[in-house]
Amino acid sequence: MKKNIQASIVILFLLIPMGLSAQKKQIHWDMINSGKFSFKQIQKAANKYFEGKFKGKGSGYKQYKRWEYFAHRTVDESGFVESQETIEKEIAAFKKRRIRKQVGPAAGNVSGNWEELGVFERNPTSSWNPGVGRVECISVDPTDPDHILLGLPSGGAWSTKVGGNDWKNLTDNKTVLDIRGCAIQPTNTNIYFLGTTSGLYKSTNQGQDWNHIFTSSTVTKVLPHPSNANIVLTAGSGGIKRSTDGGNNFTTMRSGNYRDLVFKPDDPNIVYA
């Protein structure tokens, strides 16, 4: 049988049975991902699930409370969490109104004099280091090791072309700063991908402009094919998705919640998830 372009996906179930069982019972995550339940309905389901249960590391409690904290600030008048797409439209409309109200040479000018005050040092004896950002993902240009793209969970996306001696922020004008996955297209390094908590972004000019490809789920891994620019895979809360047109449109290959994807060395027809 001839090998076709479609990758064979091999799923490695490495979860402890008890942990997997507990994860399935956390119905509040299914409610969050569906977008069909109000904030209070989700909150009620989560509180019921965690009532009397262990809430330490590995329980999922911290992850839920983090979602609850941010979601509470975006609840609309009907009690639902606003989608990122809705938020972006509202911000775009606000910017247009603001520009129309401004007159003269200062219109649109929001620059100011800022000085960085720290923190400049890391304390290796403590796990708490305020001011020190966490890097969630990194991608290196296979043809130029000085060309690097990275993403931060609360600090947006950054790139360097000088091996890290100087960095450029790529998302200051975007509403999404929570980056979970990133990739430089290996066969066309002008193309960047960002996986975020509100879907996938793609740039064709190294981050100067971004297209929001889909908004339906969190993307934790973006995996372009090493030699075929048309093939791009993603993993996240919306399952494993696959594109055959360079990352402009995606089809769900497997539902579920996945965190990582890798090609088998020397055989990109096989993918591990």
Side-chain angles (χ1 to χ4, degrees):
M1 182 181 294
K2 294 182 178 180
K3 291 183 178 179
N4 55 30
I5 297 177
Q6 181 172 353
S8 301
I9 300 175
V10 180
I11 310 300
L12 301 181
F13 293 99
L14 302 179
L15 297 174
I16 300 174
M18 182 179 296
L20 182 58
S21 175
Q23 186 182 42
K24 287 182 178 179
K25 293 179 181 178
Q26 295 190 21
I27 192 173
H28 48 277
W29 288 116
D30 293 332
M31 296 170 69
I32 290 169
N33 292 330
S34 74
K36 298 178 181 179
F37 296 88
S38 69
F39 175 79
K40 288 187 176 181
Q41 286 175 314
I42 296 170
Q43 190 179 51
K44 182 178 179 180
N47 289 340
K48 183 177 179 180
Y49 170 80
F50 286 111
E51 185 178 1
K53 287 187 174 66
F54 171 72
K55 298 182 180 63
K57 188 173 183 180
S59 66
Y61 183 71
K62 182 178 72 173
Q63 288 78 5
Y64 164 71
K65 294 301 287 185
R66 182 184 291 121
W67 173 87
E68 183 187 58
Y69 172 78
F70 288 106
H72 185 261
R73 298 185 296 175
T74 60
V75 174
D76 61 21
E77 294 178 354
S78 60
F80 287 80
V81 179
E82 287 189 325
S83 68
Q84 188 61 37
E85 187 176 9
T86 299
I87 294 173
E88 289 187 354
K89 288 180 179 178
E90 290 177 351
I91 291 177
F94 169 78
K95 287 180 178 179
K96 288 182 180 180
R97 292 195 301 270
R98 181 175 178 274
I99 291 173
R100 284 197 296 266
K101 289 181 179 180
Q102 291 176 328
V103 293
N109 183 8
V110 294
S111 62
N113 296 319
W114 291 88
E115 179 184 355
E116 186 175 1
L117 299 179
V119 176
F120 300 110
E121 297 181 1
R122 177 180 180 272
N123 179 5
T125 63
S126 171
S127 62
W128 173 245
N129 293 284
V132 180
R134 185 176 89 239
V135 174
E136 188 76 9
C137 58
I138 185 168
S139 180
V140 181
D141 184 338
T143 63
D144 180 6
D146 288 334
H147 179 196
I148 304 168
L149 172 68
L150 61 80
L152 286 71
S154 295
W158 299 74
S159 69
T160 178
K161 294 184 179 179
V162 289
N165 292 318
D166 184 60
W167 291 91
K168 178 183 178 181
N169 185 279
L170 306 177
T171 52
D172 269 352
N173 64 339
K174 304 301 295 182
T175 60
V176 176
L177 296 178
D178 195 347
I179 312 300
R180 298 305 175 94
C182 62
I184 298 174
Q185 169 60 256
T187 57
N188 182 354
T189 57
N190 287 317
I191 297 177
Y192 290 173
F193 292 99
L194 294 180
T196 75
T197 52
S198 66
L200 181 71
Y201 286 82
K202 177 184 176 181
S203 172
T204 58
N205 52 14
Q206 295 190 347
Q208 295 181 46
D209 302 287
W210 294 97
N211 293 320
H212 207 169
I213 304 301
F214 61 80
T215 64
S216 57
S217 58
T218 295
V219 175
T220 55
K221 182 63 178 280
V222 188
L223 186 66
H225 193 282
S227 58
N228 187 337
N230 289 320
I231 305 298
V232 183
L233 301 175
T234 67
S237 63
I240 297 173
K241 300 180 184 294
R242 180 173 180 267
S243 172
T244 58
D245 62 0
N248 296 314
N249 297 280
F250 284 80
T251 300
T252 299
M253 307 302 295
R254 185 179 288 269
S255 60
N257 194 349
Y258 297 88
R259 293 190 60 84
D260 203 2
L261 289 171
V262 291
F263 287 115
K264 181 180 180 181
D266 302 322
D267 188 359
N269 288 305
I270 297 178
V271 182
Y272 297 97

